[in-house]
Amino acid sequence: MAKKNKASKKAKKQRQYADMIAAGWTPPAPRNQGMLGGLSNLLPGRPSEQFLVGALVGAAAAYVLSDAELRGKIIKSGLKLYGSLAGGLAEMKEQAADLQAELEAEQAGAL
């Protein structure tokens, strides 16, 4: 019964799809662009706009790299962020080990 119902649903979807195409609908292009494929939508499309964005990003990078005080602040912030992420990861590992030990103790008690 379940196979028949599943087959009828699939056939219904195929008929709907065929009717939509017959009505003039075109399916969207495949979106297999990878994990960072959507970033191209954020960038401007015209070459002159792309040049301006690149020039602004390059100027900002040159300013940050040339200012020793700002560079030090950015590095300190990055190290603090890394430390907090590493601490959070260690805490998660500890909690997972605790849960695993509890499960093993329950299984040993149930046997």
Side-chain angles (χ1 to χ4, degrees):
M1 177 81 177
K3 286 184 180 180
K4 198 176 214 182
N5 192 16
K6 202 180 240 186
S8 66
K9 285 183 180 180
K10 187 174 182 180
K12 183 179 177 182
K13 284 184 181 180
Q14 287 176 345
R15 282 193 305 271
Q16 288 175 342
Y17 187 71
D19 292 342
M20 289 169 60
I21 290 177
W25 177 78
T26 56
R31 296 185 145 256
N32 297 334
Q33 298 176 348
M35 185 170 50
L36 301 176
L39 289 178
S40 63
N41 296 335
L42 297 175
L43 296 174
R46 297 189 343 222
S48 60
E49 292 173 350
Q50 289 179 354
F51 173 77
L52 290 175
V53 170
L56 289 173
V57 169
Y63 173 73
V64 168
L65 293 174
S66 66
D67 188 3
E69 185 178 337
L70 182 59
R71 190 173 54 234
K73 287 180 183 179
I74 291 174
I75 291 173
K76 285 180 185 177
S77 298
L79 289 174
K80 285 181 185 177
L81 178 64
Y82 175 75
S84 63
L85 288 175
L89 184 62
E91 181 66 28
M92 285 178 53
K93 284 181 181 180
E94 185 178 327
Q95 289 177 358
D98 290 345
L99 289 173
Q100 185 178 7
E102 286 180 19
L103 287 174
E104 289 174 358
E106 286 178 9
Q107 288 176 354
L111 294 177

